[in-house]
Amino acid sequence: MKKRSFITLGLALSLSLSACSSVQTEREAIGDNPAPTGDTPQAQSGVTIELLGSSTGESDINIIRDQLTKNGFNVKLNLQPDYGSFKAQQDAGNFDIALSSWTTVTGNPDYAVRSLFKTGGDYSILADPEIDKLIDEASTQTPEQYGETYKKLEQRLVTDKAYIVPLYNSLKSQAFNKEVVDEKSIRLSKSRSLPWEELDFVDKSKRASTPLVLQQAASTLTSLDPIKGNDGSINMLNTNMYVRLVNLTDDDVITSKGSLSLNHSIAEGNSEYYFLLRDNINFAKVENKAAVDSGERVGAEDVVFSLLRAKDKNSVPDHRTYTLHEHIKNAEIVTDLKALEAVKQAGGSGTVKEALEQGLNAKISALVADKTQANNKEGKYQVVKLTTTEPFPQVLNYLAHQSGGIVSKKQVEKINTYDVATFDKNKDIPYGDQNTVTEGDKYNNTLFASGPYILAYKNDYEAVFYKNPGYMKGTEHEPRISQITVRFIKDADSSLAALRSGEIHVYYSVPETKYEIVEGDSKLKLQTLPSNAVAYLLFNTKNREVAKSEDLRKAVLYSINQDEILQFYKNHKLKAFSTVSPLVKTGNELKADPAKVQEFLNKYRESVKK
């Protein structure tokens, strides 16, 4: 998932993101404050703060506004109707603080900070050498070591420099119609998005004739090229359209199960990673708005192509995920069987070959470069070796991210004939452009999907996906349901009404304020667990007083009372200190302190006078 306005917490999420929760638009619990009179902090201060958010985050906006007002700020609201408008305002710098969120959909703490806060990161507006140093240091450490490093990083980010203001950690949730959806088939994972191939009906006879209907808020899709988007509009969609080398279990453990790899192994030294590929996945394509088997196998050349373009910032215009894969040094096809026998496993006694052969029906007798020559039953396999720039086990988590999806080398090179340096969005049409799958004059679906489903077409109302007929046929991973439809519904109330009426069957990311309604409906089932989603305020770093004054930022920081926010959400939120909070328990905690607010405001006013 992905950095975005709070509107996307209900997607990723995805923000994917991808990812995790949305909020009410009604003003509840906090109430309206009368205009300040007399000798109030606000009357003394005269400091104006512009707060940017979207309408979906209106409840959070109201809470923050009231807390800032009580602590002496004049709050100017910049409330936008949707994420696109919010992003335009943010890019234009029309804010002092922006309501933001991030969902760590890879289950590792490096993802929670690298894109957001490292100098030059995909979504970073910071440039702090000390933060860069701590991010890089933690990335090379084991979980037993990196706790203290992330604690220092958080303190630099929040306490020392006040670059962000943490708000809360969300629960992840989904509700479904248990009269329609088989409860055993629907998973709720801490990080990864909802796996579609396992979804099934209670009535199995409906698999081929009835679409299963899901929902998401965003109808405008960033890109269906997996490396060009990392937000709630495409996280779930691309996760299910493109297979990856590895997956995450529901509790964030790396696994080969259900991935392109039959097995994977880390070599001694933690810089070389080997993947043994399965031979039973073909790319799907769309003809006459129906999914067909392209006849092209997903193979090692596609993996190498996908990984190398993922790490290359200049492989596509507007590459939004390259920093996630910057630790990839090289990817190559292994054809020398003796090379696998000569390399020892990391932390183990056997060789990489022995690790890759675990559980295989046919041991490895030959390695082939040509994907059409692979035949797992005969012991002929393809192996891809990935080398990192330094020891970096967290690279596997990034490979499990939707941006690690495997695309067709042949198809992408056929479509992307433009010059990246002179790309013109008005005339050049890149692979994955949503206009090519949107019904109308520009419809020309050129997608090749390596995952269990492929997007056939979309409009402003819904997107229609069909089962990939060449995806692991005859195995437990073959998709059960022939058609999955994603309905675009912008707000929580409408989504819940659609679920209760039977218009949709699954509501991904139910707001905490709607839990009781779901639990009170006998035909619905609610699933929840703590997520990796964190909401926070991001300060502007250019051309605003908050960019120049650490004291002013700290005055805002200590105005925020997380206890009041949790109370509003009936304790269905959790405290957070940074985007790392759900993954590493650092012990850091933000405590509201009106005395510190006034102290820092006074310092700020004094600095302005000088």
Side-chain angles (χ1 to χ4, degrees), residues 92-247:
N94 296 328
F95 70 100
D96 290 308
I97 46 176
L99 180 59
S100 306
S101 67
W102 182 260
T103 301
T104 300
V105 295
T106 56
N108 64 310
D110 189 75
Y111 180 88
V113 293
R114 182 169 296 275
S115 286
L116 289 177
F117 307 124
K118 196 169 187 292
T119 303
D122 302 309
Y123 299 93
S124 176
I125 58 174
L126 301 185
D128 187 314
E130 181 62 24
I131 284 180
D132 294 348
K133 177 183 174 183
L134 290 168
I135 290 174
D136 287 336
E137 180 182 348
S139 73
T140 64
Q141 296 173 327
T142 65
E144 293 74 26
Q145 299 169 323
Y146 61 44
E148 187 61 30
T149 308
Y150 282 117
K151 182 175 183 176
K152 292 178 181 177
L153 171 60
E154 282 192 329
Q155 290 170 339
R156 176 75 176 179
L157 184 69
V158 181
T159 312
D160 297 345
K161 305 301 291 184
Y163 290 130
I164 68 167
V165 179
L167 298 176
Y168 54 77
N169 169 210
S170 293
L171 297 180
K172 190 173 184 179
S173 65
Q174 65 188 10
F176 61 93
N177 188 325
K178 60 186 180 183
E179 296 177 356
V180 176
V181 182
D182 184 346
E183 187 172 343
K184 296 179 181 178
S185 75
I186 185 166
R187 292 166 50 184
L188 183 63
S189 306
K190 194 170 190 293
S191 292
R192 72 166 293 179
S193 194
L194 177 65
W196 291 356
E197 67 267 29
E198 298 179 27
L199 291 171
D200 206 351
F201 290 113
V202 172
D203 181 355
K204 305 299 186 284
S205 67
K206 294 183 176 180
R207 288 176 171 176
S209 60
T210 305
L212 183 74
V213 186
L214 314 179
Q215 56 70 233
Q216 73 172 38
S219 59
T220 300
L221 310 181
T222 305
S223 177
L224 298 163
D225 182 338
I227 64 173
K228 290 193 63 178
N230 191 17
D231 60 79
S233 75
I234 49 79
N235 280 341
M236 182 187 292
L237 311 187
N238 284 347
T239 293
N240 287 286
M241 280 227 298
Y242 299 98
V243 72
R244 294 159 301 285
L245 281 174
V246 289
N247 283 323

Side-chain angles (χ1 to χ4, degrees), residues 198-483:
E198 298 179 27
L199 291 171
D200 206 351
F201 290 113
V202 172
D203 181 355
K204 305 299 186 284
S205 67
K206 294 183 176 180
R207 288 176 171 176
S209 60
T210 305
L212 183 74
V213 186
L214 314 179
Q215 56 70 233
Q216 73 172 38
S219 59
T220 300
L221 310 181
T222 305
S223 177
L224 298 163
D225 182 338
I227 64 173
K228 290 193 63 178
N230 191 17
D231 60 79
S233 75
I234 49 79
N235 280 341
M236 182 187 292
L237 311 187
N238 284 347
T239 293
N240 287 286
M241 280 227 298
Y242 299 98
V243 72
R244 294 159 301 285
L245 281 174
V246 289
N247 283 323
L248 290 175
T249 64
D250 292 345
D251 54 355
D252 288 348
V253 177
I254 295 293
T255 179
S256 288
K257 185 177 173 64
S259 75
L260 180 58
S261 302
L262 290 165
N263 282 318
H264 69 275
S265 178
I266 306 175
E268 195 172 47
N270 294 337
S271 289
E272 295 179 353
Y273 302 78
Y274 294 83
F275 305 89
L276 185 77
L277 306 189
R278 60 174 72 244
D279 66 353
N280 59 349
I281 300 178
N282 280 8
F283 288 103
K285 65 178 181 178
V286 173
E287 291 181 354
N288 299 318
K289 293 189 176 180
V292 298
D293 187 338
S294 70
E296 180 188 345
R297 180 182 293 174
V298 182
E301 67 182 64
D302 304 300
V303 172
V304 170
F305 173 76
S306 299
L307 298 184
L308 293 181
R309 75 192 292 265
K311 82 180 187 76
D312 180 5
K313 179 181 180 180
N314 300 313
S315 63
V316 291
D318 199 22
H319 194 328
R320 299 192 183 187
T321 60
Y322 63 90
T323 60
L324 304 185
H325 305 287
E326 65 183 5
H327 284 89
I328 297 176
K329 182 178 181 180
N330 194 28
E332 57 189 306
I333 301 173
V334 179
T335 56
D336 183 2
L337 186 56
K338 292 183 179 179
L340 301 184
E341 297 171 338
V343 182
K344 291 184 178 180
Q345 305 174 49
S349 57
T351 66
V352 165
K353 179 176 181 289
E354 290 170 339
L356 295 179
E357 287 182 326
Q358 289 284 327
L360 296 182
N361 293 324
K363 301 297 183 182
I364 305 173
S365 61
L367 298 179
V368 297
D370 184 346
K371 62 185 180 182
T372 65
Q373 300 302 308
N375 189 320
N376 294 174
K377 290 181 180 179
E378 296 178 358
K380 298 177 182 178
Y381 296 91
Q382 288 199 297
V383 168
V384 171
K385 173 186 174 183
L386 182 150
T387 306
T388 55
T389 55
E390 59 188 337
F392 187 61
Q394 290 188 58
V395 72
L396 292 173
N397 293 80
Y398 290 124
L399 296 181
H401 184 248
Q402 62 87 16
S403 63
I406 308 305
V407 297
S408 165
K409 179 178 186 293
K410 179 180 177 181
Q411 182 69 0
V412 171
E413 289 183 335
K414 176 182 176 182
I415 302 301
N416 288 356
T417 56
Y418 53 79
D419 181 358
V420 175
T422 59
F423 177 79
D424 184 348
K425 64 181 181 180
N426 296 313
K427 67 180 183 67
D428 295 323
I429 302 176
Y431 175 82
D433 187 330
Q434 73 145 5
N435 292 314
T436 63
V437 298
T438 302
E439 291 181 309
D441 295 339
K442 295 183 179 180
Y443 178 85
N444 180 29
N445 194 325
T446 57
L447 296 175
F448 263 48
S450 60
Y453 286 87
I454 187 168
L455 174 55
Y457 61 91
K458 70 173 286 288
N459 49 44
D460 291 338
Y461 179 62
E462 65 185 13
V464 174
F465 292 79
Y466 292 121
K467 169 182 175 178
N468 178 352
Y471 191 83
M472 301 198 209
K473 293 184 68 172
T475 74
E476 62 177 316
H477 304 296
E478 179 181 355
R480 277 69 159 171
I481 296 173
S482 294
Q483 178 182 332

Side-chain angles (χ1 to χ4, degrees), residues 17 20 71 77 90 99 137 163 230 330 361 422 515 548 574 582:
L17 24 319
C20 292
N71 281 279
L77 294 185
Q90 186 179 44
L99 180 59
E137 180 182 348
Y163 290 130
N230 191 17
N330 194 28
N361 293 324
T422 59
Y515 286 1
K548 297 181 286 185
L574 307 170

